[in-house]
C-alpha cells in the first residue's frame, strides 16, 4: 500500500518557564519485575504520553504518577535509596525524570477501583444508575476519605516536592479524573504556580453530580477550580462544568461568554481542546516491521466486505449492541452471508471489577451465539481477537470497508480518528452521535444512535452498499479532519493558552519590579530622570 506523506511539525514550547511537571494516575513508563528480580521498563501506551513528551523535549520534564505494578514499587524504593525518589526515564529518547508515588494497596484500590472507576467513570459517562443498590454511604465516604483523597494528597505532595526541587519556574499539567482534588492541595502551598488540567472523559450535566453526596461533589468542583485552566473535550463539557460551578460553589462568579470563573480570589479559565492522534506515529506503527507482519496476517481474514471495531471491553463502548446490529444485518440481508466478516479487536479492561468481568463474559457469549446461528463450515461471521496488540489493530484498520464506533458516550474516541488516518480502502466510519469525535467527523461518517440497534443495523448496511464515489468522499473528509487537527494541534492550543498566562504574569512581575525599583516599566528609564 502507498505510504501517505506526513510533515513533522515542531512541537510547541512553553515561554517564561523552564520546567514542565506532568501528573497522571498512570505513568509514561511501566516497570516489570523479571524472574531474576531485575527490572524491565517499557513505554506507557497511548497518545497522551507521545504528545506531552514531544511538547517538553526542549526543556526539563518530570512526570509524577502512581505506582501500578510491583516493578514500579521496587523501582521507587531503589530510587528513594539512591536519588531522593527521582528516576531517570530508561526509555531511549526520553529526556525525563520520573517521580512515582506509592500508597498502600488498600488505599489505591479504593482510589482507583471504588471512586475513579466504579463511581466517577460511570457517572461522567451518564451510566450511573441511582436506582440500583450500590455501596452504602459509609463505604463510599470511606473510599473517598481513605482512598481518593489519600491518592490525590500523595500526588500533590510529590508535585510540590518537584516544584521546590529547583528555583526555576515550572508549569504543572495534570491529567484526567483521578486527580480532581490535587490542584487545590497544590495551590494552598504554592499560590502562584501555573496549573492546567485536561479532562479526557465527558463532563455531565449538574443534575448527575447531585446524585453524589454533597461533600464529594463540592470537593471535586473546588479542587478543579484550583487550576488556572481546565481543558475539556467539547464546548458542551465546558459549559456543563460552568453550570456546576454556579450551582455548587457559593460566591463563585461565572462568565459563560468568556468561560471564566472567579472564586475565592482566583480566576480559572475553561477551554475545549478536542484530543486527537499523532497521525505520523500511527502511520509509523503501520509501516513498522511488526505492522507489516500483522498486515499480512490480517489480509488472510478479509472478506468481500469487512467490518471492524477496536475497543476496550468496557460497558460504555456498547460492544453488545454493535454485534446485535450486525446480527440484524445478517438476518435482514441473507445475500450477505459468506460475503461479509466482522473483525473485532477487543482489549480486556479492569478485570478486577465484577461489572467488567460480567460484561466480558456477555460479549464472548454473544459472539459465540451469532457464529453458531449464522456461521458455516467455511464462514465465521465474527472473528474476535482478545488482547492488547496495538500494531495488529492499526495494521488491520488499513483494510476495513466499515469501521463501527458506536459508544454509548465517549469523551472523544480516538479509534474514530485512527481508522481514517491509516485506512487505505476508502473505508466508511459508522459513528455514534454521542461520541465526542462526532463533532469533528460528522460529515465524514454515517451517524447512528448508539442505543438503537435497528438504526445501527441500517447504518451498517448503508455503509456496506455506498457507491465508490460516496465512500471515497466520506473517507477523504474524515481523513482530512483528523490531519487538520492532529495531536500536535491539540497540544499547541493548550501551550498557547498557558503561554498567554505566562506572558501576562511575566509582564505583571516586570512592571511590579520596575515600580519597586523606581524604573519606568515601559521605557526602562529611572523615574527621577523623567521628572527632571
Amino acid at each position: 500500500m502507498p505510504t501517505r506523506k506526513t510533515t513533522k511539525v515542531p512541537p510547541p514550547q512553553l515561554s517564561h518557564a523552564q520546567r514542565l511537571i506532568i501528573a497522571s494516575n498512570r505513568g509514561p513508563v511501566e516497570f516489570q519485575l523479571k524472574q531474576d528480580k531485575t527490572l524491565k521498563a517499557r513505554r506507557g501506551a497511548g497518545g497522551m504520553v507521545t504528545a506531552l513528551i514531544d511538547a517538553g523535549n526542549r526543556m526539563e520534564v518530570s512526570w509524577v504518577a502512581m505506582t501500578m505494578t510491583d516493578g514500579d514499587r521496587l523501582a521507587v524504593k531503589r530510587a528513594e535509596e539512591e536519588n531522593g525518589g527521582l528516576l531517570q526515564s530508561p526509555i531511549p529518547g526520553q529526556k525525563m525524570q520520573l517521580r512515582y508515588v506509592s500508597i498502600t494497596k488498600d488505599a489505591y484500590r479504593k482510589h482507583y477501583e471504588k471512586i475513579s472507576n466504579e463511581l466517577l467513570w460511570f457517572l461522567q459517562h451518564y451510566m450511573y444508575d441511582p436506582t440500583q443498590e450500590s455501596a452504602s454511604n459509609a463505604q463510599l465516604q470511606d473510599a473517598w476519605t481513605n482512598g481518593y483523597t489519600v491518592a490525590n494528597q500523595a500526588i500533590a505532595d510529590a508535585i510540590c516536592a518537584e516544584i521546590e526541587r529547583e528555583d526555576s519556574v515550572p508549569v504543572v499539567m495534570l491529567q484526567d479524573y483521578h486527580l480532581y482534588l490535587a490542584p487545590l492541595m497544590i495551590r494552598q502551598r504554592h499560590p502562584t504556580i501555573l496549573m492546567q488540567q485536561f479532562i479526557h472523559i465527558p463532563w455531565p450535566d449538574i443534575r448527575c453530580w447531585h446524585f453524589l453526596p454533597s461533600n464529594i461533589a463540592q470537593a471535586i468542583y473546588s479542587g478543579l477550580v484550583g487550576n488556572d485552566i481546565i481543558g475539556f473535550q467539547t464546548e458542551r463539557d465546558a459549559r456543563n462544568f460552568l453550570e456546576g460551578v454556579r450551582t455548587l460553589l457559593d460566591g463563585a462568579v461565572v462568565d459563560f461568554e468568556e468561560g471564566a470563573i472567579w472564586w475565592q480570589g482566583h480566576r480559572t479559565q475553561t477551554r475545549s481542546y478536542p484530543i486527537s492522534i499523532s497521525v505520523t506515529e500511527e502511520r509509523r506503527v503501520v509501516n513498522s516491521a511488526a505492522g507489516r507482519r500483522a498486515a499480512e496476517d490480517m489480509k488472510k481474514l478479509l472478506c468481500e466486505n469487512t467490518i471492524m471495531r477496536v475497543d476496550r471491553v468496557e460497558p460504555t463502548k456498547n460492544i453488545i449492541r454493535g454485534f446485535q446490529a450486525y446480527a440484524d444485518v445478517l438476518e435482514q440481508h441473507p445475500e450477505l452471508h459468506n460475503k461479509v466478516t466482522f473483525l473485532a479487536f477487543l482489549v480486556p479492561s479492569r478485570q478486577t471489577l465484577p461489572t467488567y468481568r460480567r460484561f466480558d463474559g456477555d460479549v464472548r457469549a454473544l459472539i459465540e451465539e451469532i457464529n453458531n446461528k449464522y456461521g458455516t463450515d467455511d464462514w465465521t461471521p465474527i472473528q474476535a481477537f482478545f488482547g492488547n496488540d496495538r500494531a495488529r489493530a492499526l495494521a488491520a484498520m488499513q483494510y476495513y470497508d466499515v469501521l463501527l464506533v458506536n459508544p454509548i458516550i465517549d469523551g472523544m474516541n480516538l479509534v474514530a480518528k485512527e481508522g481514517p488516518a491509516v485506512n487505505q480502502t476508502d473505508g466508511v466510519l459508522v459513528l455514534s452521535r454521542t461520541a465526542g469525535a462526532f463533532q469533528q467527523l460528522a460529515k465524514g461518517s454515517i451517524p447512528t444512535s448508539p442505543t438503537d440497534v435497528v438504526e445501527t443495523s441500517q447504518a451498517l448496511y448503508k455503509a456496506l452498499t455506498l457507491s465508490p464515489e460516496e465512500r471515497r468522499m466520506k473517507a477523504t473528509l474524515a481523513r482530512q479532519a483528523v490531519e487538520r487537527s492532529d495531536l500536535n494541534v491539540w497540544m499547541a492550543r493548550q501551550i498557547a493558552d498557558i503561554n498567554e498566562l505566562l506572558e501576562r504574569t511575566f509582564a505583571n512581575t516586570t512592571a511590579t519590579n520596575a515600580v519597586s525599583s523606581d524604573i519606568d516599566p515601559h521605557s526602562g528609564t529611572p523615574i527621577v530622570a523623567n521628572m527632571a
Side-chain angles (χ1 to χ4, degrees):
M1 291 288 176
T3 302
R4 293 192 182 98
K5 292 182 179 179
T6 50
T7 305
K8 181 75 172 176
V9 179
Q13 298 299 315
L14 295 170
S15 62
H16 305 299
Q18 291 73 48
R19 292 187 289 147
L20 178 61
I21 301 171
I22 300 165
S24 60
N25 180 65
R26 185 183 298 273
V29 178
E30 186 178 280
F31 294 91
Q32 296 293 336
L33 188 59
K34 300 199 298 189
Q35 286 187 339
D36 61 1
K37 301 300 181 183
T38 60
L39 292 174
K40 179 183 179 182
R42 69 178 183 184
R43 179 170 177 152
M48 182 185 76
V49 172
T50 302
L52 293 172
I53 290 172
D54 281 353
N57 70 355
R58 295 180 200 168
M59 67 175 63
E60 184 182 339
V61 179
S62 52
W63 197 308
V64 176
M66 304 297 298
T67 54
M68 304 285 287
T69 65
D70 288 338
D72 289 347
R73 284 182 277 274
L74 179 58
V76 167
K77 185 177 179 182
R78 290 179 182 175
E80 287 171 346
E81 293 168 355
E82 298 168 10
N83 195 27
L86 279 177
L87 283 160
Q88 198 67 37
S89 173
I91 306 298
Q94 285 186 1
K95 294 191 301 180
M96 181 171 54
Q97 291 179 310
L98 312 173
R99 186 182 287 273
Y100 282 11
V101 179
S102 287
I103 58 176
T104 67
K105 288 186 178 181
D106 184 57
Y108 187 78
R109 181 184 60 81
K110 290 174 181 176
H111 155 70
Y112 184 69
E113 294 183 9
K114 295 299 180 185
I115 300 297
S116 295
N117 291 333
E118 290 185 18
L119 181 67
L120 294 177
W121 177 268
F122 284 98
L123 179 92
Q124 292 192 236
H125 284 85
Y126 295 86
M127 292 179 66
Y128 178 79
D129 186 354
T131 68
Q132 294 295 313
E133 283 191 29
S134 56
S136 69
N137 187 61
Q139 290 174 316
L140 180 59
Q141 295 290 350
D142 172 64
W144 177 257
T145 302
N146 298 312
Y148 194 82
T149 304
V150 169
N152 273 257
Q153 189 65 64
I155 288 284
D157 289 345
I159 291 171
C160 288
E162 274 301 294
I163 293 169
E164 295 156 11
R165 188 167 57 85
E166 293 181 15
D167 291 332
S168 56
V169 177
V171 165
V172 176
M173 296 182 76
L174 301 117
Q175 303 297 316
D176 225 0
Y177 62 102
H178 312 87
L179 305 179
Y180 287 158
L181 306 184
L184 183 59
M185 294 170 171
I186 297 163
R187 179 76 58 201
Q188 288 167 343
R189 281 171 58 176
H190 293 279
T192 62
I193 198 72
L194 198 153
M195 278 187 288
Q196 187 253 29
Q197 187 158 358
F198 183 74
I199 312 298
H200 293 253
I201 63 176
W203 197 271
D205 181 277
I206 180 58
R207 285 171 293 187
C208 292
W209 294 99
H210 284 323
F211 291 137
L212 299 184
S214 295
N215 68 303
I216 292 178
Q218 288 176 342
I220 287 170
Y221 271 85
S222 58
L224 280 169
V225 295
N227 288 292
D228 295 285
I229 302 172
I230 310 173
F232 298 92
Q233 296 280 21
T234 68
E235 293 286 352
R236 183 187 300 275
D237 295 319
R239 186 169 185 87
N240 283 345
F241 181 79
L242 294 172
E243 289 278 9
V245 168
R246 185 170 65 175
T247 304
L248 287 174
L249 300 185
D250 287 342
V253 176
V254 179
D255 185 329
F256 283 87
E257 192 171 325
E258 289 291 323
I261 301 157
W262 289 264
W263 192 62
Q264 296 188 346
H266 181 70
R267 183 185 189 276
T268 302
Q269 181 71 52
T270 61
R271 287 275 192 261
S272 68
Y273 306 114
I275 198 171
S276 193
I277 62 167
S278 171
V279 174
T280 305
E281 174 64 15
E282 310 297 323
R283 292 175 182 168
R284 184 198 66 76
V285 171
V286 164
N287 290 295
S288 68
R292 290 196 300 272
R293 283 195 303 271
E296 289 305 311
D297 292 337
M298 290 298 110
K299 284 179 184 176
K300 301 168 189 173
L301 304 175
L302 301 177
C303 206
E304 187 174 323
N305 296 282
T306 303
I307 302 171
M308 292 188 194
R309 76 176 304 138
V310 180
D311 277 308
R312 286 187 302 112
V313 184
E314 148 71 59
T316 63
K317 299 301 181 183
N318 207 25
I319 296 166
I320 286 176
R321 286 195 184 99
F323 286 146
Q324 289 171 338
Y326 174 60
D328 189 62
V329 170
L330 298 179
E331 186 68 28
Q332 300 300 323
H333 302 281
E335 72 277 9
L336 289 176
H337 291 198
N338 289 291
K339 294 182 179 179
V340 64
T341 190
F342 196 140
L343 304 184
F345 301 90
L346 304 175
V347 181
S349 179
R350 299 171 184 164
Q351 290 296 292
T352 58
L353 301 180
T355 301
Y356 284 75
R357 289 197 299 273
R358 284 195 300 271
F359 186 72
D360 184 281
D362 291 344
V363 167
R364 292 172 188 264
L366 181 58
I367 292 170
E368 185 176 359
E369 179 186 323
I370 292 170
N371 285 339
N372 287 339
K373 181 174 182 180
Y374 296 102
T376 62
D377 289 342
D378 55 0
W379 174 57
T380 304
I382 301 174
Q383 299 192 59
F385 303 87
F386 288 88
N388 189 5
D389 189 335
R390 185 163 171 267
R392 178 176 63 186
L394 283 171
M397 282 197 290
Q398 293 178 96
Y399 309 117
Y400 67 76
D401 297 298
V402 180
L403 179 64
L404 178 59
V405 181
N406 68 315
I408 293 173
I409 189 169
D410 252 335
M412 183 53 55
N413 194 298
L414 295 183
V415 171
K417 296 187 173 186
E418 289 171 336
V422 302
N423 183 260
Q424 304 279 357
T425 56
D426 291 334
V428 179
L429 174 64
V430 173
L431 182 61
S432 288
R433 295 180 182 89
T434 48
F438 188 74
Q439 184 176 306
Q440 294 169 299
L441 298 175
K443 291 181 180 178
S445 66
I446 294 176
T448 189
S449 168
T451 58
D452 189 333
V453 170
V454 173
E455 184 180 345
T456 304
S457 168
Q458 292 167 346
L460 287 173
Y461 184 70
K462 180 179 178 180
L464 288 168
T465 55
L466 278 182
S467 69
E469 293 76 17
E470 290 175 301
R471 297 177 64 79
R472 190 175 305 113
M473 182 188 72
K474 285 198 175 291
T476 300
L477 286 172
R479 185 183 70 250
Q480 289 175 344
V482 176
E483 290 173 340
R484 270 196 311 272
S485 295
D486 69 355
L487 196 58
N488 200 67
V489 172
W490 174 73
M491 197 68 204
R493 289 187 58 218
Q494 293 177 80
I495 296 296
D497 286 344
I498 290 170
N499 282 342
E500 187 178 325
L501 280 184
L502 286 167
E503 290 281 357
R504 197 180 308 158
T505 303
F506 182 76
N508 290 342
T509 302
T510 302
T512 301
N513 291 341
V515 170
S516 66
S517 305
D518 292 326
I519 298 292
D520 186 317
H522 301 292
S523 65
T525 309
I527 293 172
V528 174
N530 281 342
M531 291 173 66

